[in-house]
Each structure stands twice: as C-alpha cells, then as structure tokens.
Amino acid sequence: MSVLIFIDAAEGKIKKASLEAITYGAHIAQQLGVSAEGVVLGQITDDLATLGKYGVQKIHRVADEKLNNLDAQVYAKVIADVATATGATVLVCSNNVDGKSIAPRLSVRLKAGLVAGAVALPDTANGFTVKKNVFSGKAFANISVSTDIKIVSLSPNAYKIEAGEGTAEVVDFSTTVEAPKVKVTNVEKASGEVPLTEAEIVVSGGRGLKGPENWGMIEELAKLLHAATACSRPVADAGWRPHNEHVGQTGIAIAPNLYIAIGISGAIQHLAGVNRSKTIVVINKDEDAPFFKAADYGIVGDAFEVVPKMIESIKKMKGGA
Amino acid sequence: MKILVCISKTPDTTAKIAFTDNNTKFDTNGVQWIINPYDEWYALVRAIELKEADAATVIHLVNIGGADADPIIRKALALGGDEAIRVNADNHDGYFVASQIAAVAKEGNYDLIFTGKETIDYNGSSIGGMLAEMLEMPFVSLASKFELSGTTATITREIEGGAETCEVALPVVVSAAKGMAEARIPNMRGIMAARTKPLNVKEPVEAESLTTVASFGLPPAKAGVKLVDADNVDELVRLLHEEAKVI
C-alpha cells in the first residue's frame, strides 16, 4: 500500500505545483500509515533525490523521451502501470494543466473515484472524504470516494509546501511507452513573467485604468513584488490585455497569498475567481464598489495617484529592509 | 464531419449559492439556468464556426439531465446545433455522466467531441478526459485555439505561463477554454428553427457513480475591510508587510 504522487515537469524542471502535491501526498501517507512514493515521466534535469525533503520516500522514474511532452493518453497508461505495480491505493497530482488532462483518464483506467481540485487533507476517519471548491469558489463540497483506489488532484496554491530533511530513493521503472498521438509543435513562453496560477502575488487591473496604455504602473508594481499580472473580464474582452490574464468565473481561478485589485469594481463573477486569495487589497475610487466587501485592505482613491505612491513606498521598504 | 458538443445546465453566473436538506442539496429556488458558459461560448460556437466553413458538417448536442434542461438545449439548437440528445438521468458524478456521453458517442461515431474546460458549478474539469479514456481517443484540454485542416487538428492549449501548440489526428476529444471562439447571441431565425429541430430523449445506460457529495458549505465571510487613507499609502504597505506578512 502506498500513496503515489505524480510529479510533473516542464522542460526537465519540476513544477512548483508538484512540490505542493508531494507535501500533500506525503501528509496523506502519514495519515494512513503507508509510504509516499512518486512517479516522474520524461527526461528530467532536476535532481530527483532531493525531492525527498518534501516527504516522498521513493521515486519511480520512466525516463523515456516519448514522455517529454504531455500526451494524456500515453501518460495515464504509464502512471496506471506504476500504480498497479506498486499497489498504490491513493493517487495524488496537482489540479494544474497536466493534472486536469491525466487524472480523469486515470479515474477511468483504474476505476478510481476522482476528487478534482482538493483544498484540504482527506478525512479518513470514516471512509475517504475530501473538501473541494465548487460553484467557482462561491462554495465548497465534501466529496466521498467509495472506490478501492482514490485519486485526488490538489488545487494549486491551496496547500503549503513543507521542506524538511530526507533523500528519495530513485528507481527506474520499466514499461511499454506508446508513441504519442498528440505532437507538440510549438511552445510559447511568456518570457520573464511569473505564471499566473503559480504566483504568490497577483496585481490585477480593471476598467478603472481607462486603457491599455496605462498598464505600465501595473507591470512595474508586479515586477517589484515578483508578482504576476492579471485583469478583469471587460479588460480582456476589450483586448487591452491577453485572454490568459483574465481571472474570474469564466477565466482563470487563482488563490495567491496576495491579490491586489486596481480599478476593478468586484462583480460577483470576478470575485468567484479570486476569493480564495489569502489577502485581498482593493484600490478603487468608488467607495461603493462591491469589491471592498470582499477585501481585507482597501484604499478609496484614484489608482493613478495611489499606485505610483505604492511603488515608491515598497521601494523604500525594500531598500530599508 | 460529425461533431458532438457536450452541454451542461448550470446556474447563472450571478446566482446566489445556498443549500438545503441539511447542506446536502443545492437550493434551486429562484435560480436561473444557463448553458455552462465554457460549453456555449467556446465549445459550441467553435463547432458552429467549423460548420460555417464546411456545410457538410453536422453538430449534435448531448446533455445528461431531466426535462428541465430542455430550455437550455433549445437555446443551443437556436445558436446552431443540428440535433440534440438528452439522456434522461439525474446528474450523478463525473464518471456516471462521462459513461452516458460515451454511450451516445459510440453510437454516433463522431470525428470531434467538444466539451467546455469545466462546469461553473462542480468545477470538476473531468468529463472530457474520462470520455476520451472510455473512447480510447486522444484528449487535448484547455484549448484556446482550434484549427482544422482535413483530418488533422492544430490546437493551442494553455500551459503554466504560456501556450503550447500541438497537432493531433481526428478523432479527438477537446475541452474548450477562453479564446477558442467569441460568445454569440441566437438570432430570431435560429430561435424559430430550433423549435422543430430534433431533441431525442434516451434512457441512461447502466453506469456507476464513484463519488458522492457528502455535504456542501459556504466559505467563511471576510472579517471586514480595513480602509487606509489615500494620502497614507505607506500605512497600507506597512500593514501588508507587518500585519498580513504578504510582502
């Protein structure tokens, strides 16, 4: 018996979301009194043994170059092979882009109930029940899984990475790897920016900024805080910012430590995508903006005056610290 | 070319979320129902665009639900679906729903199956992947662009901090995200035509549920906003640094 954690990588490097998944999976293993094992696919340049410090004891590696890019069908087959060979009873992955493709396929392949987007450890006192967000963050549900094997995909930024001591034993796992049917022809990386779903701080702008030419200060503030930039739906729809920056119910749902909303009124659809942020700061000149009700800190004021002052103030603080 | 578009009925994006029966059921009182936005705006509209480019294309819609889903199915027909299949069953879990769609898909022999990237109620983002595994087809999730040339699809999908373009031969299951198409409004001609388009009701096939909802809950309310004067931005930065400890 074991908890098997799918550890995913991009361009040979382990993703941050996977470190969360390892910590989470290791804690489930402790709770169940079983071992925490990992599976890594493709050719990885990162040192896998050091992942032991997040709690994984053994890592099964399938270093086949056919696994360097994601084809969910090929991945699911290999992960299911490892799960069966190691007698895994709980499978854990991140509910990130890869997890969303692979976990549902594994659910069918292993006939294992799937909880997609878990936000807390499972309750294993009486069965196996996991809390997840539903209604786009407006509510949560406790989902009970009744199958022998359980699959839990962890919502990104929902579980704190814990690093301790330890080295993982890395073993090669041998199985047939099918040729991928999905061929990746191009990868476009937004250079130098922090990925939105992995960012700990997000600076977001709305219609109150009046036009795309005014995003300079948003980007400057974001850079200063090592933050990702985001926007509200009207801004993306107007083409001021790319669609992949749109956060909200019909865009991307995020849960950073700090969300700074500038010139966003806070419509219910927007709040749904960001209300899991641990701290929310709202800067808006309309004191009746609904966003203030969902915020932890707020400034009623003109963004064009407040944001430059904020940049100066943070520079001062960082300089003095 | 035969396309199957999976559509789900969800509460309107502004619906108030509440629960009944000791927090085990969603309170549908006063709720307006819509087609799940990802299914409608991106999956269905992209299918319609493909049909507009190639008149030989046929679009079938599939929904798993009771008769109360018929209005949203008619709307999808008004937008441009040719024919709809409703599997007359309660919405159990994702595995049950995917099993029902898989049965419909096997019968219809589709070249292309579109779903939305997730529903805005259960946020499972699982149906497309489960369906693909059941049908032994490739699956490309979170597509923000979809182009077709003969029987090869070129798909751009969102990845962390960027986008990835891939090629795959049909048949394929694709889940649609923002960017794949632009939302449309049905026109009068479409609405009139939808009244007479076939909406076939089928009984469900035997299938299991692997998960159940034990209970629902609402997130705790915020304690209240701490307002800082616009002339005292330093104080906000101090609070974020010392009190919230987030910068």
Side-chain angles (χ1 to χ4, degrees):
Chain A
M1 294 231 294
S2 66
V3 171
L4 183 67
I5 305 147
F6 170 59
I7 303 167
D8 73 337
E11 289 156 1
K13 301 229 175 292
I14 303 299
K15 292 183 191 170
K16 178 193 158 209
S18 279
L19 304 184
E20 296 169 357
I22 296 172
T23 306
Y24 179 78
H27 287 173
I28 296 178
Q30 269 172 24
Q31 201 172 308
L32 297 172
V34 300
S35 66
E37 303 186 13
V39 51
V40 174
L41 307 185
Q43 292 159 315
I44 308 294
T45 46
D46 278 356
D47 180 11
L48 295 176
T50 60
L51 296 176
K53 67 181 177 196
Y54 304 105
V56 62
Q57 289 139 8
K58 190 173 184 180
I59 293 175
H60 305 271
R61 176 175 60 188
V62 188
D64 191 312
E65 63 174 353
K66 294 202 283 291
L67 297 166
N68 285 356
N69 286 307
L70 170 72
D71 181 320
Q73 199 170 9
V74 180
Y75 268 47
K77 189 247 168 208
V78 174
I79 297 169
D81 287 349
V82 177
T84 308
T86 58
T89 49
V90 180
L91 271 72
V92 170
C93 65
S94 173
N95 192 37
N96 62 1
V97 180
D98 290 359
K100 282 178 182 175
S101 305
I102 299 161
R105 297 198 80 118
L106 280 171
S107 169
V108 172
R109 217 172 165 100
L110 299 168
K111 212 158 192 203
L114 164 66
V115 180
V119 294
L121 284 173
D123 179 353
T124 52
N126 183 15
F128 193 95
T129 303
V130 195
K131 184 176 171 178
K132 75 167 291 238
N133 285 300
V134 290
F135 296 100
S136 306
K138 291 178 203 163
F140 63 82
N142 293 303
I143 309 286
S144 294
V145 186
S146 51
T147 46
D148 292 342
I149 304 176
K150 283 98 178 155
I151 305 178
V152 185
S153 69
L154 176 68
S155 189
N157 277 338
Y159 205 78
K160 209 170 155 32
I161 299 168
E162 267 179 33
E165 301 287 318
T167 308
E169 179 195 353
V170 181
V171 292
D172 283 306
F173 183 89
S174 156
T175 186
T176 324
V177 180
E178 311 281 336
K181 290 182 195 158
V182 178
K183 287 184 189 64
V184 174
T185 53
N186 185 39
V187 178
E188 235 174 274
K189 273 271 174 191
S191 62
E193 289 168 34
V194 184
L196 190 48
T197 48
E198 293 194 353
E200 299 197 349
I201 302 178
V202 174
V203 181
S204 188
R207 253 184 311 193
L209 289 169
K210 297 193 169 73
E213 66 280 7
N214 296 324
W215 244 261
M217 62 180 187
I218 300 290
E219 279 165 355
E220 191 182 348
L221 179 59
K223 202 168 170 206
L224 194 58
L225 294 170
H226 196 63
T229 52
C231 69
S232 65
R233 181 173 167 208
V235 165
D237 283 354
W240 296 0
R241 299 296 291 180
H243 283 313
N244 58 16
E245 279 199 5
H246 163 202
V247 292
Q249 185 156 19
T250 53
I252 297 167
I254 54 170
N257 284 335
L258 173 61
Y259 183 72
I260 304 176
I262 300 162
I264 302 175
S265 64
I268 188 167
Q269 295 94 331
H270 184 76
L271 294 181
V274 302
N275 64 4
R276 286 189 300 123
S277 309
K278 276 125 215 146
T279 301
I280 295 178
V281 174
V282 170
I283 298 164
N284 203 298
K285 66 178 180 193
D286 174 11
E287 60 179 318
D288 295 322
F291 218 149
F292 283 116
K293 289 201 180 71
D296 298 284
Y297 301 98
I299 288 185
V300 179
D302 186 346
F304 295 99
E305 287 170 21
V306 174
V307 176
K309 280 188 195 166
M310 205 169 158
I311 291 169
E312 283 319 303
S313 182
I314 293 168
K315 276 185 185 161
K316 219 163 49 190
M317 182 196 82
K318 294 212 162 183
Chain B
M1 226 346 240
K2 271 182 93 177
I3 308 175
L4 181 66
V5 181
C6 310
I7 57 170
S8 183
K9 185 190 82 165
T10 60
D12 175 51
T13 54
T14 59
K16 188 175 157 29
I17 306 302
F19 303 101
T20 61
D21 290 20
N22 205 13
N23 282 332
T24 56
K25 284 204 171 72
F26 174 57
D27 184 358
T28 56
N29 225 329
V31 168
Q32 297 277 340
W33 298 97
I34 57 169
I35 309 171
N36 177 45
Y38 295 109
D39 303 347
E40 178 190 333
W41 302 349
Y42 311 126
L44 177 56
V45 174
R46 189 70 192 110
I48 294 166
E49 289 170 355
L50 293 172
K51 185 182 162 81
E52 284 165 352
D54 170 23
T57 298
V58 177
I59 302 170
H60 285 185
L61 309 167
V62 61
N63 168 272
I64 315 304
D68 56 352
D70 287 350
I72 68 119
I73 299 172
R74 288 283 173 211
K75 187 191 170 191
L77 289 169
L79 278 163
D82 293 305
E83 201 175 314
I85 301 142
R86 176 167 64 77
V87 179
N88 192 30
D90 281 341
N91 197 330
H92 296 269
D93 74 337
Y95 187 86
F96 176 88
V97 170
S99 304
Q100 301 306 328
I101 299 174
V104 169
K106 274 177 193 157
E107 231 169 88
N109 215 2
Y110 298 95
D111 304 291
L112 193 52
I113 301 176
F114 280 159
T115 71
K117 74 162 180 170
E118 64 187 72
T119 59
I120 61 166
D121 49 8
Y122 287 94
N123 306 107
S125 51
S126 314
I127 301 297
M130 288 184 176
L131 189 58
E133 188 67 26
M134 289 171 183
L135 299 170
E136 294 176 41
M137 284 185 191
F139 172 51
V140 180
S141 62
L142 311 178
S144 56
K145 239 187 229 167
F146 180 94
E147 299 298 335
L148 198 60
S149 156
T151 56
T152 304
T154 304
I155 304 167
T156 302
R157 66 179 165 201
E158 298 167 9
I159 55 171
E160 283 87 7
E164 185 176 85
T165 302
C166 58
E167 279 181 8
V168 59
L170 302 186
V172 60
V173 180
V174 177
S175 84
K178 185 162 189 164
M180 196 150 119
E182 294 289 334
R184 292 185 180 187
I185 298 166
N187 59 32
M188 192 44 80
R189 224 178 89 206
I191 294 167
M192 297 300 286
R195 291 183 185 169
T196 52
K197 285 180 181 172
L199 194 173
N200 305 311
V201 179
K202 280 190 169 180
E203 288 310 309
V205 294
E206 196 69 33
E208 286 172 64
S209 291
L210 309 182
T211 60
T212 46
V213 176
S215 63
F216 288 106
L218 295 172
K222 286 268 178 189
V225 61
K226 209 176 249 189
L227 284 178
V228 176
D229 197 272
D231 293 326
N232 198 2
V233 178
D234 284 347
E235 173 63 6
L236 175 70
V237 172
R238 189 193 69 79
L239 285 168
L240 291 177
H241 183 57
E242 290 174 13
E243 188 179 83
K245 297 188 168 63
V246 285
I247 61 172

